[in-house]
Amino acid sequence: MVVLAIYLVIRVATFAYFAPEIIAFENTPAQGLYSQELEARAERWTIRSWFRTIGETGINILLLLAIIQPGKEISMRHKKNNWNL
């Protein structure tokens, strides 16, 4: 459940911060005055995006492991049901 909660936090951050920022960057005119503020925002977005990507990759690996490896409780229940046949 902790992995799922972290996954949801990453999704919320994506919709609340990353998506609006990338849309703002796309709507910025290519020809214009150089802006240190815009450069700082882009750099901040890039660094945070790397951490988000690493986090998403880790979460996806953990979720896949949880799916392909049945829990002890489930496997013990399965064995018990097979013995009663």
Side-chain angles (χ1 to χ4, degrees):
M1 291 304 276
V2 173
V3 173
L4 182 59
I6 295 170
Y7 179 80
L8 291 175
V9 166
I10 291 173
R11 286 287 130 232
V12 168
T14 297
F15 290 112
Y17 172 73
F18 289 100
E21 276 293 290
I22 197 68
I23 291 169
F25 293 145
E26 288 177 352
N27 292 331
T28 302
Q31 302 299 324
L33 296 175
Y34 171 78
S35 168
Q36 287 184 340
E37 187 268 334
L38 183 61
E39 180 185 10
R41 278 178 52 205
E43 182 69 23
R44 204 170 31 249
W45 186 94
T46 302
I47 292 169
R48 290 176 181 173
S49 185
W50 274 104
F51 283 109
R52 178 180 61 136
T53 302
I54 292 167
E56 285 179 340
T57 302
I59 293 298
N60 288 331
I61 290 169
L62 291 174
L63 287 172
L64 282 172
L65 289 173
I67 290 170
I68 63 173
Q69 294 180 349
K72 291 180 182 178
E73 181 182 330
I74 294 170
S75 62
M76 290 301 289
R77 194 178 319 146
H78 178 72
K79 288 179 183 177
K80 183 178 178 183
N81 288 338
N82 284 342
W83 290 336
N84 291 334
L85 293 176

